[in-house]
Amino acid sequence: MKPRYLLCLPLLLLLAMGALLGGCRSEPLPLRLTNISGHMPDLDFKLTDDNGKAVTGANYRGKVVLLYFGYTHCPDVCPLTLAQLHVVMQRLGPLADDARILFVSVDPARDTPAVMHAYVNAFDKRAVGLVGSARAVEALSKRYRSAFTREPGDADGNYEVSHSSAIYIFDRDGKARLLATPSASQDDLVHDLHLLLDTGATP
Amino acid sequence: MKPIRLPFLNAGLLLAGLLLAGLLLPGLLLAGGVQAAAADHVHASDAWIRVLPGALPAGAYVTLHNDSAQPVALTGATSTAYAEVMLHHSSTAGGMSRMSMVDTLTVPAHGEAVLAPAGYHLMLMKAKNPVKPGDTVTLTLKFSDGSTLATDFAARPANAIDAGEPHAGH
Ligand SMILES: [Cu+2]
């Protein structure tokens, strides 16, 4: 009994070390935010980025993606969310270069790629503004059970757009992994993004 | 304890007193008019504006302290820097963010009211000249009692989280 047990010990240690170093893929990550793995479809869309280039979800494979819907004429909640995500990105340090904030406009009438470009870059250099036809944006929004409604405008033509406040987080393979709200703790966001950025790094 | 009724306080005297007050009061109000407009019972702190690129509307935030024993309500603001200023409230319900106009925000007696991101804010529209981070913009806050409070707001970058350090500069 005893000799056999001793013989096994180094092997066990080796296995444990392997799991630690390699990042055990089969073990669920100890994520803190709402885990949506397997409950939401992979990242997929056909939109135009803030440089005017046609992009799809596939353009962001290999990156951890934070998807958020909003619009530039939103002076309060959208900028706050993007500013908080910027702080999270700063806290991640160089790791954040492998993450992208995709800010999808729910206001196709006013948000042109140029407006979006100035807007997202005022927050974080790893933020990308995405625009598209009302139909394309609606398709993406529906895909993640998100919603937006253009509210009636005033005499000057100003209007607000009510929209989902969720932040959807995808891993490097484009798999939906986490759901966060703008009120989520920055510590939790940093913690979970760290895990997603550390694991599944495609060589 | 019943109030002591003074024998000489008859109806005639009361009427005369009221008449006298009626004559004097408008004069008193007029004399005090200039100062009465300035709210000395409310003071402001942490006043800042989140500046967004281009001509996009900006949100202005401030904490109001009411030093008096009477509640007072913020009804809006004016500024020479922006053509339109509106009092707004952002809310999130059922996972949806929306913004609505509000008429007043009460600053309780000996209390404070906070205008902060994701809550109450002054929405600034149509800047007359581009406002840049580092600028100071004066907004004149208006209260329900007719008083006003000229307040300097620090223009901060889009990705600022709060009013920042008082003397922080880049
Ligand atoms: Cu607003």
Side-chain angles (χ1 to χ4, degrees):
Chain A
M1 280 300 256
K2 211 177 176 189
R4 217 189 301 169
Y5 170 75
L6 280 173
L7 216 78
C8 282
L9 199 64
L11 197 77
L12 279 169
L13 273 172
L14 209 73
L15 278 171
M17 273 171 69
L20 278 173
L21 289 172
C24 196
R25 270 176 171 273
S26 55
E27 282 296 305
L29 293 172
L31 299 164
R32 292 182 188 168
L33 299 165
T34 306
N35 196 327
I36 54 164
S37 304
H39 297 287
M40 286 273 186
D42 295 357
L43 185 66
D44 190 27
F45 55 81
K46 280 195 182 73
L47 295 167
T48 303
D49 74 9
D50 58 82
N51 289 310
K53 199 179 108 207
V55 286
T56 69
N59 286 74
Y60 302 96
R61 292 293 184 269
K63 302 277 187 244
V64 167
V65 166
L66 295 89
L67 178 73
Y68 177 63
F69 296 88
Y71 64 112
T72 66
H73 279 72
C74 159
D76 188 43
V77 171
C78 304
L80 174 66
T81 305
L82 291 173
Q84 283 171 335
L85 292 181
H86 167 68
V87 173
V88 167
M89 296 289 265
Q90 293 295 97
R91 283 181 57 184
L92 285 166
L95 262 184
D97 290 340
D98 266 1
R100 290 291 177 273
I101 299 165
L102 300 187
F103 180 68
V104 181
S105 171
V106 292
D107 186 10
R110 289 185 296 196
D111 287 339
T112 62
V115 169
M116 290 288 273
H117 187 76
Y119 188 81
V120 295
N121 282 296
F123 293 95
D124 195 284
K125 61 179 193 293
R126 290 142 307 194
V128 178
L130 297 175
V131 297
S133 64
R135 178 186 281 191
V137 174
E138 217 171 284
L140 178 60
S141 162
K142 282 219 176 89
R143 188 174 171 86
Y144 298 105
R145 291 170 228 158
S146 152
F148 60 95
T149 316
R150 182 172 155 168
E151 304 295 346
D154 66 13
D156 295 341
N158 299 313
Y159 59 89
E160 307 300 337
V161 186
S162 298
H163 58 93
S164 298
S165 55
I167 302 155
Y168 304 87
I169 301 174
F170 299 82
D171 66 18
R172 293 177 190 265
D173 299 324
K175 300 265 177 245
R177 300 300 297 269
L178 297 161
L179 186 66
T181 61
S183 54
S185 99
Q186 285 184 355
D187 287 350
D188 288 356
L189 276 162
V190 171
H191 173 270
D192 285 6
L193 286 169
H194 215 289
L195 285 178
L196 290 182
L197 285 160
D198 271 346
T199 53
T202 25
Chain B
M1 280 267 209
K2 283 187 177 165
I4 301 155
R5 202 185 167 105
L6 297 172
F8 52 83
L9 191 71
N10 57 40
L13 206 68
L14 199 75
L15 198 71
L18 280 174
L19 276 170
L20 197 70
L23 285 170
L24 289 175
L25 216 60
L28 283 171
L29 282 178
L30 217 66
V34 184
Q35 290 98 321
D40 49 4
H41 50 315
V42 182
H43 70 270
S45 66
D46 300 308
W48 66 288
I49 294 171
R50 183 196 300 287
V51 176
L52 295 174
L56 293 171
Y61 310 101
V62 64
T63 301
L64 298 172
H65 311 264
N66 182 357
D67 308 318
S68 78
Q70 295 299 319
V72 64
L74 176 72
T75 57
T78 55
S79 174
T80 52
Y82 292 90
E84 268 182 55
V85 183
M86 286 185 283
L87 181 57
H88 273 181
H89 182 245
S90 298
S91 57
T92 300
M96 291 283 280
S97 295
R98 43 174 60 87
M99 207 163 62
S100 50
M101 280 222 261
V102 286
D103 294 330
T104 59
L105 169 63
T106 302
V107 193
H110 298 299
E112 58 180 44
V114 180
L115 287 86
Y120 288 96
H121 57 275
L122 290 161
M123 181 150 144
L124 314 176
M125 296 170 79
K126 298 177 188 148
K128 287 169 188 167
N129 294 300
V131 175
K132 304 173 301 299
D135 290 355
T136 299
V137 176
T138 306
L139 299 185
T140 301
L141 307 176
K142 296 188 295 183
F143 297 97
S144 49
D145 59 4
S147 64
T148 60
L149 184 67
T151 307
D152 284 345
F153 283 70
R156 303 212 65 216
N159 57 14
I161 289 287
D162 52 30
E165 294 300 316
H167 298 288
H170 313 292

